Amino acid sequence: MIAYVNGIVEDITEENAVVDVNGIGYNVKISGDTAARLPGIGEPVKLYTYTCVREDAFQLYGFLSRGDLEIFKKLITVNGIGPKGGLAILSVMDADDLRYAIMSGDAKAISKAPGIGAKTAQRVILDLKDKISIDDALISREIAATAANAGLQGDTPQKREAIEALVSLGYGQAESAKAVNAIEGIEDMDSGAVLKAALKRMW
């Protein structure tokens, strides 16, 4: 119904943004990740929206990119994942992390969202794995290659060893790959140094 709202940020909370569009303030439900990436109050913003209409409510859910909106729309097709559950998942991981978690079968990462148990996380993976492609995932080439090769093939040995070590410590594959790939100057570090740097990002 409403494809997007384009206006000025009037207020931001962890779960809601108020966007002034020509003098009308729209309440838009947002994820924690979106809240963290919104411009400041008084700044212009464009949120791509999903409209949820029920007997007792008319609610907008907003995202900063069409890609984020599309993954949300896929999420809420899963049995047991409504709009609230979809936002919960996208609050603990961004859309790219979620795509990678689905492609790599990382239910543990998905189940970190409030109200999302292990069985529901597995259902998300089973229902959406065939609907998510690497082309959809706007993630770095290295992480995309990781998912495509299913064994971190073609990556540097120190990255591979650090990710494997993080997973053995109980971290999810998706968050481990993200932490390692975010380290700068990794080419000049050994696997131990990479692991230490990655652990600092996990805390």
Side-chain angles (χ1 to χ4, degrees):
M1 295 176 67
I2 299 175
Y4 61 83
V5 292
N6 194 352
I8 304 297
V9 178
E10 283 292 320
D11 188 39
I12 305 171
T13 66
E14 217 173 287
E15 300 177 345
N16 192 80
V18 178
V19 182
D20 184 329
V21 181
N22 297 324
I24 299 175
Y26 288 86
N27 276 308
V28 185
K29 292 289 184 184
I30 56 175
S31 69
D33 178 67
T34 297
R37 293 188 290 127
L38 279 176
I41 292 174
E43 297 293 324
V45 69
K46 182 176 184 178
L47 291 174
Y48 296 92
T49 55
Y50 170 81
T51 307
C52 179
V53 180
R54 299 197 307 259
E55 289 184 6
D56 59 343
F58 180 98
Q59 186 64 64
L60 294 176
Y61 294 82
F63 305 88
L64 287 168
S65 73
R66 287 191 178 93
D68 289 357
L69 172 60
E70 288 308 309
I71 195 69
F72 173 78
K73 287 164 71 174
K74 286 184 172 73
L75 265 178
I76 62 177
T77 66
V78 177
N79 186 33
I81 303 286
K84 185 177 180 180
L87 280 191
I89 292 173
L90 290 171
S91 290
V92 298
M93 61 198 321
D94 63 27
D96 290 341
D97 285 337
L98 175 58
R99 292 185 184 98
Y100 178 62
I102 292 169
M103 289 188 290
S104 63
D106 191 353
K108 185 175 181 179
I110 297 172
S111 63
K112 288 183 177 180
I116 304 299
K119 289 184 179 179
T120 303
Q122 287 287 359
R123 192 181 304 127
V124 169
I125 292 169
L126 289 172
D127 287 4
L128 299 186
K129 197 160 191 176
D130 292 338
K131 300 176 183 178
I132 300 291
S133 71
I134 292 177
D135 290 337
D136 292 331
L138 304 178
I139 53 181
S140 71
R141 291 182 182 180
E142 291 175 22
I143 297 180
T146 297
N149 293 310
L152 304 170
Q153 297 169 7
D155 226 6
T156 63
Q158 60 265 47
K159 282 187 179 181
R160 183 164 58 250
E161 291 170 10
I163 292 173
E164 289 172 353
L166 287 169
V167 172
S168 71
L169 289 171
Y171 294 103
Q173 184 86 8
E175 61 180 339
S176 299
K178 182 181 179 183
V180 169
N181 280 281
I183 299 169
E184 296 181 2
I186 202 168
E187 297 80 8
D188 301 321
M189 303 165 66
D190 61 28
S191 57
V194 174
L195 177 58
K196 287 179 182 178
L199 281 169
K200 288 180 181 179
R201 293 179 175 274
M202 309 295 261
W203 295 336

